[in-house]
Amino acid sequence: MAFEEKSGNLVGLGLEELENLALSLGQPRYRGRQIYHGIYARRVRAFASLTDLGGDLRDAIASQHAIAYPEIERQFASRDGAVRYLFRLADGNLIETVYMPEEDRTTLCLSSQVGCALECQFCFTALLGSKRNLTAGEIIGQVLAVAAAQNLEREARLNLVFMGMGEPLLNLPQVAKAIAILADPQGVGVSLRHIAVSTVGILPRIEELARAPMRPKLAISLNASNDEQRSALMPINKKYPLADLLRVCRAYPLRSWEHLMFEYVMLDGVNDSDADARRVAALLRDLRAKVNLIPYNSGPDLPFRAPPFERVVAFQKILLDHRIATFIRISRGQDISAACGQLSLEGVRMKSAKVPGHAGGGGQGLEVGQ
Ligand code: SAH
């Protein structure tokens, strides 16, 4: 199923796999490391640029393999500097990646799946339904393709957030493989402290992540202040209710520098009252937590709206008064339908009239590493 395997794409292969490839071609193992370094650290796209390999080996590899990134189908530049990329995968599926330049860092919001199975009521990606997991190569490919399109230097400081389309913890093997290469100093070289995985709270997968040797930061989409509200917004809450979620969060082994991040999408008149804020404060009381309040990014096909900004500020103040570090994350790229899912759904809609409509979603504007 992985298009890498079919088309012989090298992007997505780990060091050992590339070493084995070298050995299978009758070459010494270190050739694999040279290819690995070329693809991920030097971000080479043409075999001709792998000059350290020698011509014969280059030709032998090029005859059967490719260094392929997802193709840019469309891109939308926002007035605020964000650029939203709609990528076409080798099988024709569409995914989205958002580029958000900031003063000292650049944040990339990555997709982990095509569509999503979780049916969060406010999310536009949910309207696409569940299609398939991305491969590690398609995840890393988003980073390499945006870096190439934006001429990002190798030294450019990146934040990577898995807050685009899909639920990363339902694709943990490929997400973890991608992160291992993205965070490897000999690979793409993004520090693990600057990679965040956002989840609705798939509890067994959070426990698995807790034991992972290369562990990114964890962000939990809380989005509600009690079970009734959360189950209505996020059906997964019926399987993993708040008490269980918070128990797993309390047991999560935070590193000395780390906070658990909680995202809270603010929906006008739904989850934005003072009482909600007080309940959230009570839920998070005994956790080393940071909260990101995300005013909802609306679109015509879903009935939710962002609250007035004063409401968001009042909600933040209540959490701050309870000594919970709380940030307001203004969604970037509002003028380019920057909520994840929106462009893909439009892409699907262009081909078929059956899809219900305009999509959005996504946690753009979120930051890690602060
Ligand atoms: N499935 C994962 C990651 C993708 S969604 C998760 O749910 O965490 C990333 C974040 O974007 C989540 O916090 C989600 O609640 C939020 N989100 C979804 N749709 C949104 C929208 N239209 N506006 C603002 N945030 C949204």
Side-chain angles (χ1 to χ4, degrees), residues 119-121 227-235 237-238 304:
E119 303 188 329
C120 297
Q121 293 300 297
D227 275 317
E228 192 192 347
Q229 202 181 57
R230 194 165 190 268
S231 295
L233 292 172
M234 302 172 69
N237 191 67
K238 294 175 202 151
F304 301 97

Side-chain angles (χ1 to χ4, degrees), residues 330-352:
I330 303 303
S331 294
R332 303 274 303 266
Q334 303 239 4
D335 51 333
I336 50 165
S337 305
C340 286
Q342 227 155 350
L343 297 183
S344 311
L345 198 63
E346 280 173 8
V348 172
R349 211 167 34 178
M350 284 187 294
K351 289 192 294 192
S352 134

Side-chain angles (χ1 to χ4, degrees), residues 122 162-164 166-167 198-200 221 223 263 265 296-297 361-363:
F122 51 84
F162 286 83
M163 295 178 185
E167 167 53 46
S198 173
T199 178
V200 295
S221 295
N223 294 348
E263 297 146 275
V265 177
Y296 184 61
N297 210 334

Side-chain angles (χ1 to χ4, degrees), residues 109-110 112-113 116 118 120 122-125 162-169 197-201 219-223 234 263-267 294-299 302 331 339-340 342 360-364 366:
C109 180
L110 307 178
S112 57
Q113 298 182 307
C116 186
L118 290 172
C120 297
F122 51 84
C123 179
F124 292 90
T125 300
F162 286 83
M163 295 178 185
M165 297 168 67
E167 167 53 46
L169 294 194
V197 165
S198 173
T199 178
V200 295
I220 312 270
S221 295
L222 185 62
N223 294 348
M234 302 172 69
E263 297 146 275
Y264 196 95
V265 177
M266 298 212 57
L267 305 167
I294 316 166
Y296 184 61
N297 210 334
S298 57
L302 289 176
S331 294
C340 286
Q342 227 155 350
Q364 60 289 341
L366 289 156

